[in-house]
Amino acid sequence: MYQPIANTPSLQAVTESIIFPAGDIYSDEPPLESDLHREQIDLLIRLIKWWWRDRQDFYATGNLTIYFSPNQKKSEEFRGPDFFVVLDTEKKDRKSWVVWQEDGKYPNAIVELLSNSTASVDKGLKKQIYQNTFRTPDYFWFDPNNLELQGFHLVDGQYQDLVPTESGWLWSQQLGLYLAVYLGKLRFFTPDGQLVMLPEEESNQQLEQANQQLEQERQRAAILAERLRDAGIDPNQIL
C-alpha cells in the first residue's frame, strides 16, 4: 500500500535508531588544523607504539572519534581527541572507539593539540567531558605553534594541575613517561630522563655510537704506532 512521503521515516532517524555491531562505526573527525598538528599526532602515535612494541594490552591512536552515547547512538555523544591511549584492552586496528563495544572503557590518557579555533573548547568543554564523563586520569594540551604545554591528573574526580619539573617536564602516571617539548615537538621521556626514540632515531644513534667507537680505536692505534716509532720499531712490521 502506498505510504505518503511525509510519514516515511527519514534516513537519519532510521540510522540513529540502529545499534551498530562492533567495528561498523567509522570515525567522523574533521580535517586537521595544519601539517604541524598532523605531524605531531603521528609522532606521538609512532613513539608510544614503538616504546610498547612488545605489549598487546593497549590501544593508541589519534584524531579518531570516541562514541559514548548511553543510548548507543553514534549521533548523540562523541568526541575526537587528537591523541589518546586506552590501557588493558586488545591491541588491534579500529574504525573508531565505541565505548559500549569496548567494555565501557574510556581513554587513560589524552592529549589535545591547541589551535586558534579549538583552544577554548579544549580548555573548557572538552576538559569537563574528560573529567566528568570519561574520567580520564591524565589530560594534557599542547600548542604546536607557541609550545604551550599543560597537564592535569584526576584526583577525587577533579582535575589537578600537574606541577612541571625544573626542566618543564610533566609526568603521566598512566603512561609511566614524562611529556616535554624537545626541538619544537611534544615528546616522551623515560622516568630516568631518556628520550623515547623512533626506530630510525635509535638506528642513527647506534650508527653514531659505532662511528665514535671506530674513531676512538683509530686514535688509540695512531698513538700506539707513534710510541712504537719512538721506540725504534716499525709498526708496519708487527703482525
Side-chain angles (χ1 to χ4, degrees):
M1 181 177 180
Y2 175 78
Q3 183 177 16
I5 294 177
N7 295 329
T8 303
S10 68
L11 178 60
Q12 180 179 359
V14 172
T15 301
E16 291 181 357
S17 68
I18 297 174
I19 298 178
F20 289 81
D24 280 355
I25 304 180
Y26 283 88
S27 179
D28 191 27
E29 292 310 296
L32 295 172
E33 185 80 11
S34 69
D35 286 342
L36 276 178
H37 290 74
R38 174 181 52 79
E39 291 167 1
Q40 178 65 77
I41 291 172
D42 290 344
L43 177 61
L44 292 175
I45 295 172
R46 292 188 63 206
L47 286 170
I48 201 67
K49 285 186 174 181
W50 179 245
W51 180 246
W52 285 346
R53 56 192 175 276
D54 296 326
R55 294 180 54 170
Q56 300 298 321
D57 63 346
F58 76 97
Y59 178 64
T61 191
N63 197 42
L64 195 83
T65 304
I66 297 174
Y67 294 102
F68 57 99
S69 166
N71 298 315
Q72 300 188 11
K73 293 182 179 180
K74 63 172 292 187
S75 61
E76 288 188 349
E77 299 286 352
F78 56 91
R79 287 290 163 182
D82 289 321
F83 171 79
F84 67 89
V85 177
V86 184
L87 302 177
D88 300 319
T89 190
E90 185 179 358
K91 184 181 180 181
K92 65 177 183 179
D93 292 337
R94 292 169 170 85
K95 298 174 182 177
S96 61
W97 184 265
V98 185
V99 170
W100 60 87
Q101 296 172 353
E102 300 284 356
D103 299 323
K105 291 182 179 294
Y106 287 90
N108 292 75
I110 290 175
V111 177
E112 290 288 4
L113 303 181
L114 304 182
S115 67
N116 290 336
S117 62
T118 67
S120 60
V121 175
D122 292 335
K123 294 180 178 182
L125 177 60
K126 281 191 174 182
K127 182 184 175 186
Q128 290 302 311
I129 291 174
Y130 299 157
Q131 171 186 276
N132 300 331
T133 303
F134 285 22
R135 299 292 185 183
T136 294
D138 291 345
Y139 175 46
F140 302 85
W141 65 57
F142 173 66
D143 191 322
N145 292 299
N146 63 24
L147 308 185
E148 175 189 347
L149 174 62
Q150 190 164 352
F152 308 88
H153 182 68
L154 199 65
V155 179
D156 296 328
Q158 299 292 319
Y159 275 141
Q160 302 296 323
D161 288 16
L162 288 172
V163 179
T165 66
E166 292 182 358
S167 300
W169 297 7
L170 298 176
W171 175 251
S172 171
Q173 182 267 338
Q174 295 293 298
L175 302 181
L177 296 168
Y178 286 104
L179 280 76
V181 181
Y182 176 77
L183 298 180
K185 298 290 185 181
L186 184 62
R187 299 290 298 258
F188 298 118
F189 288 81
T190 65
D192 60 355
Q194 300 299 310
L195 177 69
V196 174
M197 297 185 181
L198 297 169
E200 58 267 29
E201 291 175 329
E202 290 184 0
S203 297
N204 290 337
Q205 184 185 62
Q206 292 170 358
L207 180 60
E208 290 177 3
Q209 291 174 345
N211 289 336
Q212 290 174 1
Q213 186 174 358
L214 287 173
E215 178 60 21
Q216 291 172 356
E217 293 295 335
R218 188 195 66 78
Q219 292 177 3
R220 281 195 290 267
I223 293 173
L224 177 59
E226 185 64 26
R227 289 177 178 174
L228 289 172
R229 293 189 188 95
D230 291 342
I233 302 172
D234 185 356
N236 295 321
Q237 300 302 316
I238 299 176
L239 299 178

